[in-house]
Amino acid sequence: MRAMDWMDVRSMVRSEEGRDSAGDRLKPEPGLLDGLNEPQREACRHVGGPLLILAGPGSGKTRVITHRIVHLITEGGVRPDEILALTFTNKAANEMRQRVERLLPGVRGIWVSTFHAMCARILRREIEVLDGFTRDFSIYDTSDRNALLKKVIRDVGLDLTKFRPAMVGGWISDRKNRDFKGTSALEDLTGPPGFDEEMLGRVQTKYEDAMRAANALDFDDLLIKSLVVFDEHPGVRDVYARRFRQVMVDEYQDTNRVQYLLTRHLASGHGNLAVVGDPDQSIYAWRGADIRNILAFEEDFGAPKVIKLEQNYRSKGNILKAASAVIANNSARKAKSLWTDAGDGERIAVIECGDENDEAREIAYQIQGWKAHGGRLSDVAVFYRANFMQRAIETALHLAKVPYQVVGGVEFYARREIRDLLGYLKLVVNPSDDVAFSRVVNVPARGIGETSLGRLASWAEDQGCPMLAACRSAEALAAIRGRAKKGLAAFGELVERLAPIRDIDASVAIDLALEEMDRDRWLRAMDDGTGIEDREANVDELRSHAAEFDRLNPEGKLRGFLQDIALVSEVDGLDEELDKAALMTLHAAKGLEFQLVIIAGVEEELLPHARSLAESGASGSTWDALEEERRLFYVGMTRAGERLVITHAGTRHFFGDQRWTRPSRFLDEIPPELIEGQAADGDEEDVLGVYEPSASAIQLAVGDRVEHDHFGPGRVEQLQGSGVNARALVRFTHHGTKQLLLQYANLRLVGGAV
């Protein structure tokens, strides 16, 4: 254990406070709380003791958090550097930070970040109290983790087709989070382990050893190592607990056990903990979120102030009524009464389709109609429960010429040229990072084959040193011949020349690294016949991003930049400036809002997912799995502002097999009077083509002659459906047969039937 000079630590913290404690000189805009409703104002005025804010969807919780921060500084006697605000995505943290700065120009020193970013920041200072790590540690993303696990699985002698790195990584993540000192027992690992679990345990041990040798942390480690520091070194914990007099946690229902314990540590000195959340939006149990953290907040933190934010500023009344009716069927919740003064709006569209291709075409029709009525595509989102559903939807949108973007996360950072460049930078900052070394040692090509690399790795493992150090050793290189030997030696020299860039601005560091790498040669080597323009543009984009990081974070340097991009989340991939419809899973939709939302595949075994149905009745916790599926549907519904469309198919292909499907049980929980095309008693309305919000809707009969703004004259050949489902098959004189949704077609009668 490293000896720690606590006076130095406290001095460091006080020094930061001295620079950032200008709160008493800052003035907010006049009437800070005037635009808030009464529960929002009450939450902002609360200063001392625990606070639970139950915030329904669209109820302005981010506004409350940011206004409360400013109120604490200007009226509550709290310095900016004494405030810690935690959330779950970079997007949410950045928005929160920007709102505070707009409300209180010139404010500095507030810690507004994700849990992972906060822990990385703390560990950059404190990790050396733990054996085996230094402050220059690398942060391994999922791809890095899987690359290391692939090697470890091979070393243990296991079959990679059975023990897939992604699967093994998920198992290790789950075990690390629940097998941590102070967390609950491993309920699903009781009794003697089977062969697979025994082998997985061996892989985990070697993986942890390799991570320590590489001076690297994965995402789980950022949280867990921070908790170890706080648990085993209370002096360190006390420094941060005393510094942060006010701790706020957004999306508290999404916290896992480790985040819960971290929060307790940070609020231990004063009890001024404010959490904001909604049990009805807890949808991440599969990655460790524990809904009990928010359900039991009153018991855990002793008679907190409880404030409910129930006025919704996003959705029309019928959407809220439908969503509230669905979620009321859950038992693990805290009751709320959502309301809006924006009017009822349209009823919910529930559309039955033939198969997934028919469903995808229907989705394209809906989006085209929205666009035809003046709607922006950037206000449209299509949600689905499983990624495989994306293919049919993409195909239909492509054929319909509907621009779209898939919100799937970190595609930019997964591109080869970006991973190569980042690999160089990571290795320079952390010379022990063997994953980064293996990625870039032969980039550009240096004649280093797998055999030579294997010999180097074996020597390094025997000597207990990183591979980069090995390629600078004459003894290690003695067993390697020819071009590979020269290539390894040259690579070692190159990284050594780059060593000074670890302490300079990220953009300058990238420029120098590209120069040493011979940028043009490196990019040309990746040319697959399609040119290198896109790869050049991607490298330039990374450099521009680094320059912006330098501007906003002058103290961050290269280390801070690498840390920042290592923590990119899925939702951060949404580009709201593009006028394109967004496609994403329901899980990725959390925290977003759109005017038109289409939820596809609302069927049994999809939503609720077959996994939750299979679990029901198997144990005491199985009903929770079904309730989480209902919460997921509720989250999707409440992303919609103006219009909500729900689709389901009669048949669907699952992994090559066509299956008959049944509508989801959740659809039966929506009151019939809230659904287009249904009367209050559940009977379908029998008026074809009626669409309430459209003044141009008409009643049609087969044989009617009609006129369309784009397709011109035609004749109605078939009518089907009712209400929002009403469609007409029209044979146009010059454009052939088209199927049109009557609510959007704006057809005009031009004569009698023919």
Side-chain angles (χ1 to χ4, degrees):
M1 183 185 304
R2 179 177 67 91
M4 192 71 177
D5 186 340
W6 296 114
M7 293 302 296
D8 287 347
V9 174
R10 295 189 182 103
S11 174
M12 172 188 69
V13 172
R14 282 198 298 268
S15 175
E16 286 192 355
E17 291 172 352
R19 290 195 303 271
D20 299 332
S21 59
D24 57 339
R25 297 191 300 272
L26 298 167
K27 297 296 181 185
E29 293 295 324
L32 174 69
L33 306 184
D34 288 353
L36 305 182
N37 62 40
E38 185 51 38
Q40 291 174 332
R41 286 194 292 270
E42 186 180 4
C44 290
R45 294 189 185 112
H46 181 86
V47 175
L51 171 65
L52 171 60
I53 303 173
L54 292 172
S59 62
K61 68 180 179 64
T62 303
R63 191 179 190 198
V64 170
I65 295 170
T66 53
H67 280 65
R68 183 169 187 266
I69 289 172
V70 174
H71 191 265
L72 286 171
I73 295 170
T74 58
E75 303 294 334
V78 182
R79 294 196 307 263
D81 58 278
E82 294 175 326
I83 296 174
L84 171 65
L86 297 170
T87 188
F88 279 83
T89 68
N90 292 324
K91 179 177 182 292
N94 289 335
E95 180 184 359
M96 201 178 294
R97 191 180 299 111
Q98 290 165 7
R99 287 198 192 188
V100 170
E101 290 172 353
R102 285 198 296 269
L103 290 169
L104 198 59
V107 67
R108 296 290 183 272
I110 305 169
W111 279 32
V112 181
S113 74
T114 64
F115 270 97
H116 289 87
M118 175 199 71
C119 288
R121 188 172 179 180
I122 290 172
L123 290 173
R124 289 293 179 200
R125 296 172 172 176
E126 316 295 354
I127 198 171
E128 290 178 1
V129 301
L130 305 179
D131 291 337
F133 294 95
T134 72
R135 296 176 181 180
D136 288 333
F137 61 83
S138 294
I139 299 174
Y140 278 13
D141 62 16
T142 303
S143 177
D144 295 327
R145 182 196 68 181
N146 289 346
L148 177 57
L149 279 171
K150 185 175 181 181
K151 178 182 183 300
V152 169
I153 292 166
R154 281 177 174 159
D155 289 347
V156 173
L158 299 178
D159 182 358
L160 278 167
T161 60
K162 181 179 180 182
F163 294 88
R164 293 176 291 106
M167 180 273 291
V168 174
W171 186 90
I172 291 174
S173 174
D174 184 55
R175 178 158 183 161
K176 283 200 302 188
N177 277 282
R178 290 185 295 117
D179 192 24
F180 180 77
K181 176 183 177 183
T183 67
S184 56
L186 297 179
E187 296 92 343
D188 61 344
L189 293 177
T190 55
F195 171 79
D196 284 0
E197 287 173 355
E198 199 172 311
M199 294 297 101
L200 287 168
R202 290 175 56 192
V203 172
Q204 180 179 358
T205 298
K206 286 188 68 70
Y207 170 74
E208 298 289 353
D209 290 343
M211 290 290 285
R212 186 175 292 103
N215 192 29
L217 304 179
D218 60 26
F219 288 165
D220 295 314
D221 291 331
L222 291 173
L223 304 181
I224 291 171
K225 299 297 185 188
S226 297
L227 191 49
V228 171
V229 169
F230 285 174
D231 275 352
E232 298 183 357
H233 303 275
V236 179
R237 186 269 317 277
D238 291 345
V239 168
Y240 293 94
R242 282 196 295 268
R243 170 175 182 163
F244 298 119
R245 288 175 51 204
Q246 291 285 342
V247 178
M248 283 179 270
V249 183
D250 188 17
E251 305 286 6
Y252 190 66
Q253 76 281 344
D254 293 334
T255 53
N256 62 21
R257 179 68 179 178
V258 175
Q259 290 160 336
Y260 164 83
L261 292 170
L262 283 168
T263 301
R264 287 189 68 93
H265 275 304
L266 291 164
S268 61
H270 45 69
N272 296 329
L273 173 64
V275 303
V276 186
D278 180 6
D280 291 339
Q281 298 184 70
S282 179
I283 61 173
Y284 296 121
W286 53 275
R287 69 183 190 197
D290 191 341
I291 193 174
R292 293 173 297 182
N293 293 346
I294 191 167
L295 292 176
F297 185 81
E298 289 97 325
E299 292 78 14
D300 284 348
F301 291 93
K305 178 76 172 178
V306 179
I307 296 173
K308 294 183 180 182
L309 304 183
E310 297 173 308
Q311 183 175 359
N312 180 284
Y313 296 94
R314 175 190 301 153
S315 304
K316 294 292 188 180
N318 283 333
I319 295 173
L320 291 181
K321 293 173 190 175
S324 296
V326 170
I327 202 62
N329 291 276
N330 272 9
S331 58
R333 63 187 303 261
K334 290 180 179 290
K336 298 183 301 299
S337 299
L338 299 182
W339 62 278
T340 180
D341 58 10
D344 284 342
E346 303 176 24
R347 289 185 288 174
I348 312 304
V350 179
I351 302 176
E352 181 179 2
C353 307
D355 60 15
E356 69 270 18
N357 295 314
D358 183 29
E359 177 184 57
R361 286 190 291 270
E362 192 75 47
I363 289 169
Y365 295 152
Q366 292 283 338
I367 298 175
Q368 286 176 317
W370 174 266
K371 178 75 170 175
H373 279 70
R376 285 170 44 87
L377 293 181
S378 58
D379 288 331
V380 177
V382 182
F383 302 151
Y384 35 84
R385 178 64 178 86
N387 278 307
F388 77 85
M389 300 170 64
Q390 179 181 316
R391 180 206 57 79
I393 298 171
E394 280 201 79
T395 298
L397 295 184
H398 179 73
L399 292 174
K401 295 181 172 56
V402 174
Y404 65 90
Q405 58 175 321
V406 178
V407 182
V410 294
E411 291 91 345
F412 176 82
Y413 295 104
R415 292 166 181 158
R416 178 182 169 187
E417 59 275 16
I418 300 303
R419 296 198 69 84
D420 283 354
L421 180 52
L422 292 177
Y424 267 97
L425 300 175
K426 288 178 181 179
L427 186 60
V428 171
V429 169
N430 177 15
S432 298
D433 190 340
D434 284 350
V435 170
F437 176 92
S438 298
R439 178 168 189 92
V440 300
V441 66
N442 209 31
V443 176
R446 297 182 176 89
I448 305 168
E450 290 293 328
T451 300
S452 298
L453 204 56
R455 288 174 181 167
L456 187 77
S458 296
W459 187 92
E461 188 171 359
D462 290 342
Q463 298 297 315
C465 72
M467 293 177 71
L468 180 61
C471 75
R472 295 171 181 160
S473 166
E475 181 182 347
L477 296 180
I480 301 172
R481 298 284 184 270
R483 188 181 173 199
K485 182 175 184 177
K486 293 180 180 177
L488 287 168
F491 180 72
E493 293 169 0
L494 184 154
V495 177
E496 190 169 2
R497 288 196 301 272
L498 286 173
I501 73 172
R502 68 183 66 167
D503 298 314
I504 64 176
D505 286 350
S507 57
V508 180
I510 288 175
D511 290 340
L512 293 173
L514 289 171
E515 183 178 341
E516 286 288 352
M517 291 166 61
D518 192 347
R519 168 185 167 137
D520 291 341
R521 174 173 165 251
W522 163 58
L523 289 173
R524 283 197 304 272
M526 287 186 279
D527 188 359
D528 57 2
T530 61
I532 60 172
E533 290 79 9
D534 285 347
R535 298 191 190 275
E536 288 178 327
N538 291 336
V539 171
D540 290 340
E541 174 64 21
L542 183 68
R543 203 271 180 200
S544 297
H545 177 41
E548 180 67 4
F549 175 86
D550 292 335
R551 184 181 70 81
L552 297 175
N553 305 273
E555 303 300 321
K557 308 303 180 185
L558 179 59
R559 287 183 179 89
F561 176 68
L562 292 176
Q563 175 175 302
D564 186 66
I565 62 177
L567 300 174
V568 172
S569 71
E570 287 192 354
V571 176
D572 296 327
L574 175 63
D575 189 342
E576 296 173 333
E577 299 302 316
L578 299 176
D579 192 29
K580 295 182 177 182
L583 274 58
M584 69 188 79
T585 65
L586 279 161
H587 282 101
K590 181 72 178 300
L592 303 177
E593 59 181 56
F594 302 89
Q595 292 305 307
L596 166 62
V597 164
I598 303 171
I599 307 178
V602 185
E603 303 150 15
E604 292 290 290
E605 299 192 357
L606 268 180
L607 188 65
H609 197 276
R611 184 167 53 247
S612 69
L613 297 176
E615 290 173 353
S616 63
S619 73
S621 64
T622 53
W623 183 245
D624 290 345
L626 185 59
E627 290 204 353
E628 177 138 333
E629 292 292 301
R630 186 178 282 109
R631 291 194 292 267
L632 188 59
F633 185 42
Y634 173 81
V635 166
M637 296 174 78
T638 54
R639 300 309 95 190
E642 290 286 336
R643 180 163 172 73
L644 174 61
V645 177
I646 298 169
T647 65
H648 59 94
T651 65
R652 189 177 298 276
H653 281 84
F654 285 82
F655 307 106
D657 296 327
Q658 188 174 33
R659 305 180 190 176
W660 292 97
T661 65
R662 291 181 294 118
S664 169
R665 67 190 67 191
F666 300 152
L667 295 179
D668 293 334
E669 297 170 357
I670 301 176
E673 63 270 19
L674 299 178
I675 299 176
E676 281 287 350
Q678 292 192 20
D681 60 2
D683 295 332
E684 284 200 5
E685 296 171 354
D686 56 5
V687 181
L688 289 172
V690 175
Y691 177 56
E692 293 173 349
S694 173
S696 61
I698 57 175
Q699 297 187 35
L700 296 174
V702 172
D704 281 350
R705 286 195 236 174
V706 294
E707 183 83 18
H708 186 271
D709 289 340
H710 177 70
F711 299 123
R715 186 177 71 88
V716 177
E717 294 195 336
Q718 186 182 48
L719 292 167
Q720 60 183 27
S722 62
V724 73
N725 291 303
R727 282 166 284 182
L729 190 69
V730 181
R731 182 176 294 279
F732 291 101
T733 304
H734 304 295
H735 292 275
T737 301
K738 305 288 182 184
Q739 187 180 71
L740 304 174
L741 279 171
L742 292 179
Q743 59 173 313
Y744 291 132
N746 287 329
L747 294 174
R748 300 181 297 279
L749 282 168
V750 295
V754 295

